[in-house]
Structures are given as C-alpha cells and as structure tokens.
Coordinates of all heavy atoms in Angstrom, one line a residue:
M1 N 103.8 127.2 106.4 CA 104.0 127.0 105.0 C 103.8 128.3 104.2 O 102.8 129.0 104.6 CB 103.1 126.0 104.4 CG 103.6 125.2 103.2 SD 102.9 123.6 102.9 CE 101.2 123.9 102.7
R2 N 104.6 128.7 103.4 CA 104.6 130.0 102.8 C 104.5 129.7 101.2 O 105.1 128.8 100.7 CB 105.9 130.7 103.0 CG 105.7 132.2 103.2 CD 106.8 132.7 104.0 NE 108.2 132.5 103.6 CZ 108.8 133.3 102.7 NH1 108.3 134.4 102.3 NH2 109.9 133.0 102.2
F3 N 103.8 130.6 100.6 CA 103.7 130.5 99.1 C 104.8 131.5 98.5 O 104.8 132.7 98.7 CB 102.3 130.9 98.6 CG 102.2 130.7 97.1 CD1 102.1 129.4 96.6 CD2 102.1 131.8 96.2 CE1 101.9 129.3 95.1 CE2 102.0 131.6 94.9 CZ 101.9 130.3 94.4
L4 N 105.7 130.9 97.7 CA 106.6 131.7 97.0 C 106.2 131.9 95.6 O 106.2 131.0 94.8 CB 108.0 131.0 97.0 CG 108.8 131.0 98.3 CD1 110.2 130.3 98.1 CD2 109.0 132.4 98.8
E5 N 105.8 133.1 95.3 CA 105.4 133.5 93.9 C 106.5 133.8 93.1 O 107.4 134.5 93.5 CB 104.4 134.6 94.0 CG 103.8 135.0 92.6 CD 102.9 136.1 92.6 OE1 102.8 136.9 93.7 OE2 102.2 136.4 91.6
I6 N 106.4 133.4 91.9 CA 107.4 133.8 90.9 C 106.9 135.1 90.3 O 105.9 135.2 89.7 CB 107.5 132.8 89.7 CG1 107.9 131.4 90.3 CG2 108.5 133.2 88.7 CD1 107.8 130.3 89.2
K7 N 107.6 136.2 90.7 CA 107.2 137.5 90.3 C 107.2 137.8 88.9 O 108.1 137.4 88.2 CB 108.0 138.5 91.1 CG 107.9 138.4 92.6 CD 106.7 139.0 93.1 CE 106.6 139.0 94.7 NZ 105.3 139.2 95.2
D8 N 106.1 138.5 88.4 CA 106.1 139.0 87.1 C 106.3 137.9 86.0 O 107.0 138.1 85.1 CB 107.1 140.1 86.9 CG 106.8 141.2 87.8 OD1 105.6 141.5 88.1 OD2 107.8 141.8 88.3
W9 N 105.7 136.7 86.2 CA 105.9 135.6 85.4 C 104.6 134.9 85.1 O 103.8 134.7 86.0 CB 107.0 134.6 85.9 CG 107.2 133.4 84.9 CD1 108.1 133.4 83.9 CD2 106.5 132.2 85.0 NE1 108.0 132.2 83.3 CE2 107.0 131.4 83.9 CE3 105.6 131.6 85.7 CZ2 106.7 130.1 83.6 CZ3 105.1 130.3 85.5 CH2 105.7 129.6 84.5
T10 N 104.4 134.5 83.9 CA 103.2 133.7 83.5 C 103.6 132.7 82.5 O 104.4 133.1 81.6 CB 102.0 134.6 83.1 OG1 101.0 133.7 82.5 CG2 102.4 135.6 82.1
P11 N 103.1 131.5 82.5 CA 103.4 130.5 81.4 C 102.7 130.9 80.1 O 103.0 130.3 79.1 CB 102.9 129.2 82.0 CG 101.8 129.6 83.0 CD 102.2 131.0 83.5
G12 N 101.8 131.9 80.1 CA 101.0 132.1 78.9 C 99.8 131.3 78.8 O 98.7 131.8 78.7
Y13 N 100.1 130.0 78.7 CA 99.0 129.0 78.6 C 99.0 128.0 79.7 O 100.1 127.7 80.2 CB 99.1 128.2 77.3 CG 98.8 129.0 76.0 CD1 99.9 129.8 75.4 CD2 97.5 129.1 75.4 CE1 99.6 130.5 74.3 CE2 97.3 129.9 74.3 CZ 98.4 130.5 73.8 OH 98.1 131.3 72.7
L14 N 97.8 127.6 80.1 CA 97.7 126.7 81.2 C 98.4 125.4 81.0 O 99.1 124.8 81.8 CB 96.2 126.4 81.6 CG 96.0 125.6 82.9 CD1 96.5 126.4 84.0 CD2 94.5 125.2 83.0
N15 N 98.3 124.8 79.8 CA 98.9 123.5 79.5 C 100.4 123.5 79.5 O 101.0 122.4 79.6 CB 98.4 123.0 78.2 CG 98.7 123.8 77.0 OD1 98.4 125.0 77.0 ND2 99.3 123.3 76.0
V16 N 101.1 124.6 79.5 CA 102.5 124.7 79.6 C 103.0 124.9 81.0 O 104.3 125.0 81.2 CB 103.2 125.6 78.5 CG1 102.8 125.1 77.1 CG2 102.7 127.0 78.7
T17 N 102.1 125.1 81.9 CA 102.5 125.3 83.2 C 103.0 124.0 83.8 O 102.4 123.0 83.8 CB 101.3 125.8 84.1 OG1 100.7 126.9 83.5 CG2 101.8 126.2 85.5
P18 N 104.3 124.1 84.3 CA 104.9 122.8 84.9 C 104.0 122.2 85.9 O 103.4 122.9 86.8 CB 106.3 123.3 85.5 CG 106.5 124.5 84.7 CD 105.2 125.2 84.4
Q19 N 103.9 120.9 86.0 CA 103.0 120.2 86.9 C 103.4 120.3 88.3 O 102.5 120.3 89.2 CB 103.0 118.6 86.5 CG 102.2 118.3 85.2 CD 100.8 118.7 85.3 OE1 100.1 118.5 86.3 NE2 100.3 119.4 84.2
H20 N 104.7 120.6 88.6 CA 105.1 120.7 90.0 C 104.7 122.1 90.6 O 104.8 122.3 91.8 CB 106.6 120.5 90.2 CG 107.4 121.5 89.5 ND1 107.9 121.3 88.2 CD2 107.8 122.7 89.8 CE1 108.6 122.4 87.8 NE2 108.5 123.2 88.8
M21 N 104.3 123.0 89.7 CA 104.0 124.3 90.1 C 102.6 124.4 90.7 O 101.7 123.8 90.3 CB 104.1 125.2 88.9 CG 104.4 126.7 89.2 SD 104.8 127.5 87.7 CE 106.6 127.4 87.7
T22 N 102.5 125.2 91.8 CA 101.2 125.5 92.4 C 100.7 126.7 91.8 O 101.3 127.7 91.7 CB 101.4 125.6 93.9 OG1 102.0 124.4 94.5 CG2 100.1 125.8 94.6
I23 N 99.3 126.7 91.6 CA 98.6 127.8 91.1 C 97.6 128.3 92.1 O 96.8 127.5 92.6 CB 97.9 127.6 89.8 CG1 98.9 126.9 88.7 CG2 97.3 128.9 89.2 CD1 98.2 126.6 87.5
L24 N 97.7 129.5 92.5 CA 96.7 130.1 93.4 C 95.8 131.2 92.6 O 96.4 131.9 91.9 CB 97.4 130.9 94.6 CG 98.1 130.0 95.7 CD1 98.6 131.0 96.7 CD2 97.2 128.9 96.2
A25 N 94.6 131.0 92.8 CA 93.7 132.1 92.2 C 93.4 133.1 93.3 O 92.9 132.8 94.4 CB 92.4 131.4 91.8
R26 N 93.7 134.3 93.0 CA 93.5 135.4 93.9 C 92.4 136.3 93.5 O 92.4 136.8 92.3 CB 94.8 136.2 94.1 CG 94.7 137.4 95.1 CD 96.0 138.1 95.1 NE 95.9 139.4 95.8 CZ 95.9 139.5 97.1 NH1 96.1 138.5 97.9 NH2 95.7 140.7 97.7
C27 N 91.6 136.7 94.3 CA 90.5 137.7 94.1 C 91.1 139.1 94.4 O 91.5 139.3 95.5 CB 89.3 137.4 95.0 SG 88.0 138.7 94.8
E28 N 91.0 140.0 93.4 CA 91.6 141.3 93.6 C 90.6 142.2 94.4 O 91.0 143.3 94.8 CB 91.9 141.9 92.2 CG 92.8 141.1 91.4 CD 94.2 141.3 91.7 OE1 94.6 141.3 92.8 OE2 95.0 141.4 90.7
V29 N 89.4 141.7 94.6 CA 88.4 142.5 95.3 C 88.6 142.3 96.8 O 88.6 143.3 97.6 CB 87.0 142.2 94.8 CG1 85.9 143.0 95.6 CG2 86.9 142.6 93.3
C30 N 88.5 141.1 97.3 CA 88.5 140.8 98.7 C 89.8 140.2 99.2 O 90.1 140.1 100.4 CB 87.3 139.9 99.1 SG 87.5 138.2 98.6
G31 N 90.7 139.9 98.2 CA 92.0 139.4 98.6 C 92.1 137.9 98.9 O 93.1 137.4 99.4
S32 N 91.0 137.2 98.9 CA 91.0 135.8 99.2 C 91.6 135.0 98.1 O 91.7 135.3 96.9 CB 89.5 135.3 99.4 OG 88.9 135.1 98.2
E33 N 92.3 133.9 98.6 CA 93.1 133.0 97.6 C 92.6 131.6 97.9 O 92.4 131.2 98.9 CB 94.6 133.1 97.9 CG 95.2 134.5 97.4 CD 96.6 134.6 97.7 OE1 97.1 134.0 98.7 OE2 97.3 135.1 96.9
R34 N 92.7 130.9 96.8 CA 92.4 129.4 96.9 C 93.3 128.7 95.9 O 93.6 129.4 94.8 CB 91.0 129.0 96.8 CG 90.4 129.3 95.5 CD 88.9 129.3 95.5 NE 88.3 129.9 94.3 CZ 87.9 129.2 93.3 NH1 88.0 127.9 93.2 NH2 87.4 129.9 92.2
E35 N 93.6 127.5 96.1 CA 94.4 126.8 95.1 C 93.6 126.5 93.8 O 92.4 126.1 94.0 CB 94.9 125.5 95.7 CG 96.2 125.0 95.0 CD 96.9 124.0 95.8 OE1 97.2 124.4 97.0 OE2 97.2 122.9 95.3
F36 N 94.2 126.7 92.7 CA 93.5 126.5 91.5 C 93.8 125.1 91.0 O 94.9 124.6 90.8 CB 94.1 127.5 90.4 CG 93.4 127.4 89.1 CD1 92.2 127.9 88.8 CD2 94.1 126.6 88.0 CE1 91.6 127.8 87.5 CE2 93.4 126.6 86.8 CZ 92.2 127.1 86.6
D37 N 92.7 124.3 91.0 CA 92.8 122.8 90.7 C 92.8 122.6 89.2 O 91.8 122.8 88.5 CB 91.6 122.1 91.3 CG 91.8 120.6 91.2 OD1 92.9 120.1 90.7 OD2 90.8 119.9 91.5
R38 N 93.9 122.1 88.7 CA 94.1 121.8 87.3 C 93.5 120.5 86.9 O 93.4 120.2 85.6 CB 95.6 121.9 86.8 CG 96.1 123.3 86.6 CD 97.5 123.2 86.2 NE 98.4 123.1 87.4 CZ 99.7 122.9 87.3 NH1 100.3 122.9 86.0 NH2 100.4 122.8 88.3
T39 N 93.2 119.6 87.8 CA 93.0 118.2 87.5 C 91.5 118.0 87.1 O 91.2 117.0 86.6 CB 93.3 117.3 88.7 OG1 92.4 117.7 89.8 CG2 94.7 117.4 89.0
N40 N 90.7 118.9 87.3 CA 89.2 118.7 87.1 C 88.6 119.8 86.2 O 87.5 120.2 86.5 CB 88.5 118.7 88.5 CG 87.2 118.1 88.4 OD1 86.9 117.3 87.5 ND2 86.3 118.4 89.4
L41 N 89.3 120.2 85.2 CA 88.9 121.2 84.3 C 88.2 120.8 83.1 O 88.6 119.6 82.6 CB 90.0 122.1 83.9 CG 90.7 122.9 85.1 CD1 92.0 123.5 84.5 CD2 89.9 124.0 85.6
P42 N 87.2 121.5 82.5 CA 86.6 121.1 81.2 C 87.8 121.2 80.2 O 88.8 121.9 80.3 CB 85.7 122.3 81.0 CG 85.5 122.9 82.3 CD 86.7 122.7 83.1
F43 N 87.7 120.3 79.2 CA 88.7 120.2 78.2 C 89.1 121.5 77.5 O 90.3 121.8 77.3 CB 88.2 119.2 77.1 CG 89.4 118.9 76.1 CD1 90.3 118.0 76.4 CD2 89.3 119.5 74.9 CE1 91.4 117.7 75.5 CE2 90.4 119.2 74.0 CZ 91.4 118.4 74.3
G44 N 88.1 122.3 77.2 CA 88.4 123.6 76.6 C 89.3 124.5 77.4 O 89.9 125.4 76.9
V45 N 89.3 124.3 78.7 CA 90.0 125.3 79.6 C 91.5 124.8 79.7 O 92.4 125.6 80.0 CB 89.3 125.3 81.0 CG1 90.1 126.2 81.9 CG2 87.9 125.9 80.8
R46 N 91.7 123.5 79.5 CA 93.1 123.0 79.8 C 94.1 123.6 78.9 O 95.3 123.7 79.2 CB 93.1 121.5 79.6 CG 92.3 120.8 80.6 CD 92.4 119.3 80.5 NE 91.2 118.6 81.0 CZ 90.7 117.4 80.7 NH1 91.4 116.7 79.8 NH2 89.7 116.9 81.2
H47 N 93.7 124.1 77.7 CA 94.7 124.7 76.8 C 94.4 126.2 76.6 O 94.9 126.8 75.6 CB 94.6 124.0 75.4 CG 95.1 122.5 75.5 ND1 94.2 121.5 75.9 CD2 96.2 122.0 75.2 CE1 94.9 120.4 75.9 NE2 96.1 120.6 75.5
A48 N 93.7 126.8 77.6 CA 93.4 128.2 77.5 C 94.5 129.1 77.9 O 95.4 128.7 78.5 CB 92.2 128.4 78.3
L49 N 94.4 130.3 77.4 CA 95.3 131.4 77.8 C 95.0 131.7 79.3 O 93.9 131.7 79.7 CB 95.0 132.6 77.0 CG 95.7 132.9 75.7 CD1 95.0 134.0 75.0 CD2 97.1 133.2 75.9
I50 N 96.1 131.9 79.9 CA 96.0 132.3 81.4 C 95.1 133.5 81.6 O 94.3 133.5 82.4 CB 97.4 132.6 82.0 CG1 98.3 131.3 81.9 CG2 97.3 133.1 83.4 CD1 97.8 130.1 82.7
T51 N 95.3 134.5 80.7 CA 94.4 135.7 80.8 C 93.0 135.5 80.6 O 92.1 136.1 81.2 CB 95.0 136.8 79.8 OG1 95.0 136.2 78.5 CG2 96.3 137.4 80.2
D52 N 92.6 134.4 79.7 CA 91.3 134.0 79.6 C 90.7 133.4 80.8 O 89.5 133.5 81.1 CB 91.1 133.1 78.4 CG 91.2 133.9 77.0 OD1 91.2 135.1 77.1 OD2 91.4 133.1 76.0
I53 N 91.5 132.5 81.4 CA 91.1 131.9 82.6 C 90.9 132.9 83.7 O 89.9 132.8 84.5 CB 92.1 130.8 83.1 CG1 92.2 129.7 82.0 CG2 91.8 130.2 84.4 CD1 93.3 128.7 82.2
E54 N 91.8 133.9 83.9 CA 91.6 134.8 84.9 C 90.3 135.6 84.7 O 89.7 135.9 85.7 CB 92.9 135.8 84.8 CG 94.1 135.2 85.4 CD 95.3 136.1 85.2 OE1 95.3 136.9 84.3 OE2 96.2 136.0 86.1
A55 N 89.9 135.9 83.5 CA 88.7 136.7 83.2 C 87.5 135.8 83.6 O 86.5 136.4 83.9 CB 88.7 137.0 81.7
R56 N 87.6 134.5 83.6 CA 86.4 133.7 83.9 C 86.3 133.3 85.4 O 85.4 132.7 85.8 CB 86.6 132.3 83.1 CG 86.3 132.4 81.7 CD 86.1 131.1 81.1 NE 86.8 130.8 80.0 CZ 86.8 129.7 79.3 NH1 86.2 128.6 79.8 NH2 87.5 129.5 78.2
L57 N 87.4 133.6 86.2 CA 87.3 133.3 87.6 C 86.2 133.9 88.3 O 85.9 135.1 88.0 CB 88.7 133.7 88.3 CG 89.9 132.9 87.8 CD1 91.1 133.5 88.5 CD2 89.9 131.5 88.3
R58 N 85.6 133.2 89.3 CA 84.7 133.9 90.1 C 85.0 133.5 91.6 O 85.2 132.4 91.9 CB 83.3 133.3 89.8 CG 82.2 134.0 90.7 CD 80.9 133.3 90.5 NE 80.2 134.0 89.4 CZ 79.4 135.1 89.5 NH1 79.3 135.6 90.7 NH2 78.8 135.6 88.5
C59 N 85.1 134.6 92.4 CA 85.5 134.4 93.8 C 84.4 133.6 94.5 O 83.3 133.9 94.5 CB 85.8 135.7 94.4 SG 86.2 135.7 96.1
V60 N 84.9 132.6 95.3 CA 83.9 131.8 96.1 C 83.6 132.6 97.4 O 82.6 132.3 98.0 CB 84.5 130.4 96.5 CG1 84.6 129.5 95.3 CG2 85.9 130.6 97.1
A61 N 84.4 133.6 97.8 CA 84.1 134.3 99.0 C 83.2 135.5 98.8 O 82.2 135.7 99.6 CB 85.4 134.7 99.6
C62 N 83.4 136.3 97.8 CA 82.6 137.5 97.6 C 81.8 137.5 96.3 O 81.0 138.4 96.1 CB 83.5 138.7 97.7 SG 84.5 139.0 96.3
G63 N 82.1 136.6 95.4 CA 81.3 136.5 94.2 C 81.8 137.4 93.1 O 81.1 137.4 92.0
A64 N 82.9 138.1 93.3 CA 83.4 139.0 92.3 C 83.9 138.1 91.1 O 84.5 137.1 91.2 CB 84.5 139.8 92.9
K65 N 83.7 138.7 89.9 CA 84.2 138.1 88.7 C 85.7 138.6 88.4 O 86.0 139.7 88.7 CB 83.3 138.4 87.5 CG 82.1 137.5 87.4 CD 81.4 137.8 86.1 CE 80.2 136.8 85.9 NZ 79.5 137.2 84.7
G66 N 86.4 137.7 87.8 CA 87.8 138.0 87.5 C 88.7 137.7 88.6 O 88.3 137.5 89.8
G67 N 90.0 137.8 88.3 CA 91.0 137.5 89.4 C 92.3 137.4 88.8 O 92.5 137.7 87.6
R68 N 93.2 136.9 89.5 CA 94.6 136.7 89.1 C 95.2 135.4 89.5 O 95.0 134.9 90.6 CB 95.4 137.9 89.7 CG 96.7 138.1 88.9 CD 97.4 139.4 89.3 NE 97.9 139.3 90.7 CZ 99.1 138.8 91.0 NH1 99.9 138.2 90.1 NH2 99.5 138.8 92.2
L69 N 95.9 134.8 88.5 CA 96.5 133.5 88.9 C 97.9 133.8 89.3 O 98.6 134.5 88.6 CB 96.4 132.5 87.7 CG 95.1 132.0 87.3 CD1 95.1 131.1 86.1 CD2 94.4 131.4 88.5
R70 N 98.4 133.2 90.4 CA 99.7 133.3 90.9 C 100.4 132.0 90.8 O 99.9 131.0 91.1 CB 99.8 133.8 92.3 CG 99.0 135.1 92.6 CD 98.8 135.4 94.0 NE 100.1 135.8 94.6 CZ 100.4 135.5 95.9 NH1 99.6 134.9 96.7 NH2 101.6 135.9 96.4
F71 N 101.6 132.1 90.3 CA 102.4 130.8 90.0 C 103.6 130.7 90.9 O 104.2 131.8 91.1 CB 102.9 130.7 88.5 CG 101.7 130.8 87.6 CD1 101.3 132.0 87.1 CD2 101.1 129.6 87.2 CE1 100.2 132.1 86.2 CE2 100.0 129.7 86.3 CZ 99.6 130.9 85.8
G72 N 103.8 129.5 91.5 CA 104.9 129.5 92.4 C 104.8 128.1 93.1 O 104.4 127.1 92.5
S73 N 105.3 128.1 94.3 CA 105.3 126.8 95.1 C 105.3 127.1 96.6 O 105.7 128.2 97.0 CB 106.5 126.0 94.7 OG 107.7 126.7 95.0
Y74 N 104.8 126.1 97.3 CA 104.9 126.2 98.8 C 106.3 125.8 99.3 O 106.9 124.9 98.7 CB 103.8 125.3 99.4 CG 102.4 125.8 99.3 CD1 101.5 125.2 98.5 CD2 102.0 127.0 99.9 CE1 100.2 125.7 98.3 CE2 100.7 127.4 99.8 CZ 99.8 126.8 99.0 OH 98.5 127.3 98.9
T75 N 106.7 126.5 100.2 CA 108.0 126.1 100.9 C 107.9 125.9 102.4 O 107.1 126.7 103.0 CB 109.1 127.1 100.5 OG1 110.3 126.6 101.2 CG2 108.8 128.5 101.0
T76 N 108.5 124.9 102.9 CA 108.6 124.7 104.3 C 110.0 124.8 104.9 O 110.2 124.8 106.0 CB 108.0 123.4 104.7 OG1 108.6 122.4 104.0 CG2 106.5 123.3 104.5
N77 N 110.9 124.8 103.9 CA 112.4 124.7 104.3 C 113.1 126.0 104.0 O 113.6 126.2 102.9 CB 113.0 123.5 103.6 CG 114.4 123.2 104.1 OD1 114.9 124.0 105.0 ND2 115.1 122.2 103.6
E78 N 113.1 126.9 105.0 CA 113.8 128.2 104.8 C 115.3 128.0 104.8 O 116.0 128.8 104.1 CB 113.4 129.1 105.9 CG 111.9 129.5 106.0 CD 111.4 130.3 104.8 OE1 112.3 131.1 104.3 OE2 110.3 130.1 104.4
K79 N 115.8 127.0 105.3 CA 117.2 126.7 105.5 C 117.8 126.5 104.1 O 119.0 126.7 103.9 CB 117.6 125.6 106.4 CG 117.3 125.9 107.8 CD 117.6 124.6 108.7 CE 117.3 125.0 110.2 NZ 117.3 123.8 111.0
S80 N 117.0 126.0 103.2 CA 117.6 125.7 101.9 C 118.1 126.9 101.1 O 118.8 126.8 100.1 CB 116.6 124.9 101.0 OG 115.5 125.7 100.8
R81 N 117.6 128.1 101.6 CA 118.0 129.3 100.9 C 119.3 129.9 101.5 O 119.7 131.0 101.0 CB 116.8 130.2 100.9 CG 115.6 129.7 100.2 CD 114.4 130.5 100.5 NE 114.4 131.8 99.8 CZ 113.9 132.9 100.4 NH1 113.3 132.8 101.6 NH2 114.0 134.1 99.8
L82 N 119.7 129.4 102.6 CA 121.0 129.9 103.2 C 122.2 129.3 102.6 O 122.2 128.1 102.2 CB 120.9 129.6 104.7 CG 119.8 130.3 105.5 CD1 119.8 129.9 106.9 CD2 119.9 131.8 105.4
P83 N 123.3 130.0 102.6 CA 124.6 129.4 102.0 C 125.1 128.4 103.0 O 124.8 128.4 104.2 CB 125.5 130.6 102.0 CG 124.9 131.6 102.9 CD 123.5 131.4 102.9
D84 N 125.8 127.5 102.6 CA 126.5 126.4 103.4 C 127.4 126.9 104.5 O 128.1 127.9 104.2 CB 127.2 125.4 102.5 CG 126.3 124.6 101.6 OD1 125.1 124.4 102.1 OD2 126.7 124.3 100.5
Ligands
ZN1 ZN1 86.5 138.0 96.5

C-alpha cells in the first residue's frame, strides 16, 4: 500500500478536509509518520487551522514538537492509472 500525497495542497482548515481523505502526520526531525485520527479530537481542534494543528503536533517516536500534515490517500491499485 502506498500513500499518494496531494502535492503542495492544504485544505486550510481541518473541518473542510474531505472525509475520504487520509491525513498523515509527519515528523520533520526523525521522519516518522502516523495516521492523523480526526475522529477523536477535542472540539476546539476540529475547526482549527491546519498550520495551528501542525504547530501543536508532538512526535510519538522522538518527542519533537511540530510537524507536517500530509493529505492524500492510500492506493493499492496501480493499474487504475494506466490507459485502457
Ligand atoms: Zn520524530
């Protein structure tokens, strides 16, 4: 399974991020990534700016503060990208 990131794109606010989209939180210090779970957030965060959320991230692997959210989706079907 591969994560296809939408390059150079951000929804701006978390609440306008399409539900089918996968969000990965990436630590810029150690490079670790984990899925960002939108279903269990405090109310104040649900409508927050993406940049504010990024600033509040804390890496579970190395403890570094801050990070980057990547938007996209997982793909398993490479054939769908080939012409008929
Ligand atoms: Zn880290």
Side-chain angles (χ1 to χ4, degrees):
M1 210 157 60
R2 212 156 61 88
F3 184 73
L4 283 182
E5 181 181 10
I6 304 171
K7 296 284 181 194
D8 303 319
W9 181 85
T10 168
Y13 290 86
L14 187 63
N15 60 305
V16 297
T17 309
Q19 285 300 318
H20 65 265
M21 203 168 269
T22 300
I23 308 175
L24 289 187
R26 177 181 171 83
C27 173
E28 305 277 44
V29 176
C30 72
S32 76
E33 286 180 328
R34 66 196 162 97
E35 202 160 308
F36 183 79
D37 184 11
R38 275 182 279 180
T39 60
N40 197 22
L41 294 170
F43 185 78
V45 177
R46 288 181 210 163
H47 295 80
L49 271 167
I50 296 300
T51 50
D52 284 349
I53 295 170
E54 287 177 328
R56 286 197 229 175
L57 292 173
R58 178 185 276 275
C59 178
V60 291
C62 74
K65 275 187 174 176
R68 197 167 68 82
L69 294 180
R70 303 169 72 210
F71 301 89
S73 58
Y74 286 110
T75 178
T76 52
N77 189 358
E78 299 291 326
K79 286 176 184 171
S80 65
R81 298 169 67 215
L82 297 172
D84 291 329

